[in-house]
Amino acid sequence: MCIRDRDKTPTTNHENDIFGIFGEIIHQTTPQLNNTLAIRNDSHSDFGEQFSFRVSSALTFDSKSNLKGSYGTGFRSPSLYELYDSSNGNADLKPEKSSNFDLEYTNNLSDNFRFTVAYFSNETEDVIDWVMNPPPNPNFEGKYKQTSAKKKREGIEISNIYNLNKSTSIDFSYSYTADDKGGKVIRVPRNQLGLNLGNQFNNKLYFNGSIKYNTDIIDSGNVKLDDYSLVNLLAKYELYELSLIHISEPTRRRGISYAVFCLK
């Protein structure tokens, strides 16, 4: 698969191009074990060739439980705003590079109850962040900089989904996040408690409500931030049943795709 992207600043004469090639191999090693290898190479007009990959495995123990794991790498090039903005930009920035690992165990303890626990770890090099200029700085000016050589975070996530009946489910979740030394990560809650309730009222109407309570948060300079809650409410109603027809028309230079929605 080939991907091409172009970015251009609206007020300054700067632009860049990214051309990516992506491929994936899926192999069923045994009836219980599936392995996947995904590779990608991005050719960036400013930062050259950037290679990334992801390997993952899924092991099924029985009809009720499984274990999944993955490891991957990635990169993020600086945006044109971060590079060239007249007030905040820094043309010396280079791409962030990252690596990610996760391991997840799921067990359907009953027909109505599913338990999931996961461990995650990610590490980012050459982190880009906006940094305020030192005082005296009456106008609170600053610029984007590579703030550290490496930044790592890791943690656990626990989720318990219980189906109250065929149309209603409730999900209790908890996550813990820390840096590689057990300390707090800037602007990332150390503890997050979640509650999610979903109900399929009928064939067309669906309701969902969730609340997440975030605690133990700090900002730059080890400044303690207040705990806070996020509440989301959702209602969906299907007006029409849609069918999707996807048409792909390859040309010599690019692939053109059309998506046609038809009302039933």
Side-chain angles (χ1 to χ4, degrees):
M1 179 182 292
C2 298
I3 302 170
R4 184 165 189 171
D5 187 28
R6 170 168 288 183
D7 193 10
K8 186 174 182 179
T9 52
T11 57
T12 61
N13 188 26
H14 294 97
E15 65 178 38
N16 58 38
D17 289 286
I18 302 176
F19 179 79
I21 299 177
F22 171 82
E24 184 178 66
I25 299 173
I26 301 174
H27 183 254
Q28 187 177 27
T29 308
T30 70
Q32 293 77 33
L33 179 62
N34 289 279
N35 297 295
T36 302
L37 170 63
I39 58 174
R40 175 169 175 158
N41 189 78
D42 290 283
S43 180
H44 196 288
S45 57
D46 288 341
F47 301 106
E49 303 292 325
Q50 303 287 339
F51 176 79
S52 57
F53 70 93
R54 184 178 183 85
V55 292
S56 60
S57 296
L59 176 63
T60 301
F61 297 111
D62 50 45
S63 61
K64 295 184 177 181
S65 60
N66 63 73
L67 181 68
K68 300 177 182 178
S70 69
Y71 176 82
T73 63
F75 89 102
R76 185 186 78 85
S77 59
S79 69
L80 293 177
Y81 180 83
E82 292 169 336
L83 288 167
Y84 303 117
D85 178 73
S86 58
S87 301
N88 303 285
N90 180 357
D92 295 326
L93 295 175
K94 54 186 179 181
E96 297 178 340
K97 294 185 178 181
S98 62
S99 61
N100 302 273
F101 171 77
D102 62 81
L103 188 65
E104 177 184 292
Y105 172 75
T106 299
N107 194 317
N108 293 292
L109 299 176
S110 71
D111 293 338
N112 296 321
F113 183 66
R114 184 175 69 203
F115 169 78
T116 300
V117 59
Y119 167 80
F120 64 88
S121 173
N122 61 69
E123 184 175 281
T124 306
E125 297 183 25
D126 301 316
V127 178
I128 299 172
D129 201 357
W130 186 85
V131 179
M132 185 181 296
N133 295 334
N137 186 15
N139 296 322
F140 301 100
E141 297 174 335
K143 66 188 303 184
Y144 287 97
K145 295 182 179 180
Q146 314 277 171
T147 57
S148 63
K150 288 185 179 182
K151 181 180 290 186
K152 184 176 180 179
R153 68 178 68 175
E154 57 186 353
I156 59 170
E157 296 177 345
I158 299 173
S159 176
N160 301 281
I161 300 177
Y162 183 71
N163 297 317
L164 299 176
N165 51 52
K166 292 183 178 180
S167 61
T168 306
S169 65
I170 187 169
D171 178 9
F172 298 96
S173 62
Y174 169 76
S175 67
Y176 172 88
T177 305
D179 62 21
D180 56 336
K181 298 179 180 178
K184 301 174 185 177
V185 181
I186 293 175
R187 292 187 290 277
V188 175
R190 179 189 286 268
N191 300 286
Q192 183 183 85
L193 291 169
L195 174 63
N196 185 87
L197 180 65
N199 176 260
Q200 188 71 49
F201 187 75
N202 55 39
N203 292 335
K204 293 182 176 293
L205 184 59
Y206 174 77
F207 294 104
N208 181 271
S210 67
I211 181 170
K212 292 184 178 181
Y213 180 58
N214 303 273
T215 70
D216 215 359
I217 317 161
I218 62 169
D219 204 343
S220 301
N222 206 33
V223 176
K224 180 175 173 54
L225 301 178
D226 293 337
D227 299 343
Y228 67 94
S229 297
L230 291 176
V231 178
N232 290 289
L233 298 174
L234 170 70
K236 292 194 302 183
Y237 185 81
E238 183 181 306
L239 295 175
Y240 303 99
E241 185 178 353
L242 299 177
S243 62
L244 173 64
I245 302 174
H246 185 269
I247 304 172
S248 179
E249 179 184 338
T251 67
R252 294 181 64 183
R253 296 188 61 188
R254 68 189 67 183
I256 301 175
S257 297
Y258 306 90
V260 180
F261 293 92
C262 301
L263 298 180
K264 289 186 177 180

